[in-house]
Amino acid sequence: MNTLSTYLIIAALLFGLGLLGVLQRRNLIGMLISIELMLNGANINFMAFNRFLAPEPAVGQIITLFVMGLAAAEAAIGLSIILALFRKFRSINVERAQQMRG
Amino acid sequence: MNFMTEAMAQAAFWIVVGLTLAGAVIAVFPRNIVYNVLGLVLALTGVAGLYVFLGSMFIGLMQLLIYVGAICVAIVFAIMLSRPLHLEVPQRKLPKVLLAAMASCLFAIALIGVSLRTAWKPAAERGTDWSVATIGELLLTRYDLVFEVISLVLLVAILGAIVTAGFSRRLTS
């Protein structure tokens, strides 16, 4: 049960589901949720390598903390951009935002 | 007795894994956005449980605090602020869905294959210092530049979020 490959497989499954969500959803908030899933898959990888392989157990935890902080910043700025888009187009369908291209 | 606790820990581990994957499936597939957020909460809580199994209570609690407590609540706020969000979006065409599914399946299978076929070697000598005090000390000595830069990024992101959300309101109304 508690082996490295179990955690790596779980992380790969989470990442794959998040990738599917990003590619397939058209709701902008749904895409943001999928990106959070992908970040969590990467974090599980960091923590698993930290637990089973790394020489210093503190480093992996610190990197995981950094990823969490960046995810918080990304969620804040992403949600505010989504709200601004929603006020402009009255919709959060991605394909509506195509008229912004040059 | 020892065998019993072992079996219980194993059962708890698989329950946590099941919750995580079920939450991820709920976060991606239903077309109602509110279900997606609730699935995300479930998946993130499961990941926090996985961190506890990986030996770090601190990161598990941080996961609950930052992801479930802050990010999910922010997403719920965004959903409530943009009202007709839960209305149905027209269905994507089938070939696109199939292509997306094939691409992500391929990617996940490749990742799993690589992780299974690699012979992972542990580091020659491994420290046993899991205390939070060490994490704090390293954050302020070896990783202090990264720490400061992340603080700056958070500050800029908060200001940018206020400016983006606030200015667009002024422009439209």
Side-chain angles (χ1 to χ4, degrees), chain B residues 1-171:
Chain B
M1 199 59 206
N2 205 0
F3 175 75
M4 277 294 286
T5 49
E6 184 78 9
M8 273 175 67
Q10 191 139 353
F13 177 76
W14 288 113
I15 288 174
V16 166
V17 171
L19 279 183
T20 308
L21 292 181
V25 168
I26 296 176
V28 171
F29 288 113
R31 296 171 57 72
N32 189 336
I33 191 71
V34 182
Y35 291 162
N36 294 147
V37 179
L38 294 181
L40 183 70
V41 169
L42 192 62
L44 296 182
T45 314
V47 172
L50 284 183
Y51 290 161
V52 174
F53 271 102
L54 281 169
S56 177
M57 193 71 176
F58 171 64
I59 298 290
L61 289 179
M62 279 295 127
Q63 167 94 3
L64 278 184
L65 197 69
I66 298 178
Y67 268 113
V68 183
I71 295 184
C72 286
V73 173
I75 293 177
V76 170
F77 264 106
I79 293 175
M80 295 302 162
L81 281 178
S82 46
R83 269 315 284 174
L85 240 179
H86 47 80
L87 293 185
E88 292 287 305
V89 201
Q91 189 95 33
R92 252 226 211 288
K93 293 210 177 61
L94 192 62
K96 284 185 180 174
V97 176
L98 276 183
L99 274 180
M102 268 169 51
S104 48
C105 273
L106 205 67
F107 196 81
I109 289 173
L111 272 184
I112 292 175
V114 166
S115 64
L116 284 185
R117 294 178 70 92
T118 312
W120 302 105
K121 284 200 192 67
E125 56 183 73
R126 307 193 47 214
T128 52
D129 191 4
W130 284 80
S131 65
V132 181
T134 318
I135 298 178
E137 197 184 320
L138 280 181
L139 270 181
L140 291 181
T141 53
R142 200 196 301 166
Y143 295 100
D144 54 352
L145 178 67
V146 192
F147 189 70
E148 297 293 331
V149 170
I150 288 212
S151 316
L152 190 67
V153 166
L154 273 173
L155 180 68
V156 173
I158 292 168
L159 291 181
I162 293 172
V163 168
T164 317
F167 273 166
S168 68
R169 171 185 293 159
R170 206 164 306 153
L171 286 183

Side-chain angles (χ1 to χ4, degrees), chain A residues 38-64:
Chain A
M38 291 166 78
L39 284 174
N40 267 281
N43 266 350
I44 291 180
N45 264 1
F46 276 124
M47 289 295 286
F49 285 127
N50 179 49
R51 163 81 174 71
F52 293 104
L53 306 178
E56 269 183 280
V59 179
Q61 303 183 51
I62 288 175
I63 292 178
T64 308

Side-chain angles (χ1 to χ4, degrees), chain A residues 14-15 17-18 32-42, chain B residues 20 23-25 27-28 40 43-44:
Chain A
L14 270 189
F15 197 94
L17 276 171
L32 198 73
I33 288 175
S34 308
I35 290 177
E36 301 296 341
L37 277 183
M38 291 166 78
L39 284 174
N40 267 281
Chain B
T20 308
V25 168
V28 171
L40 183 70
L44 296 182

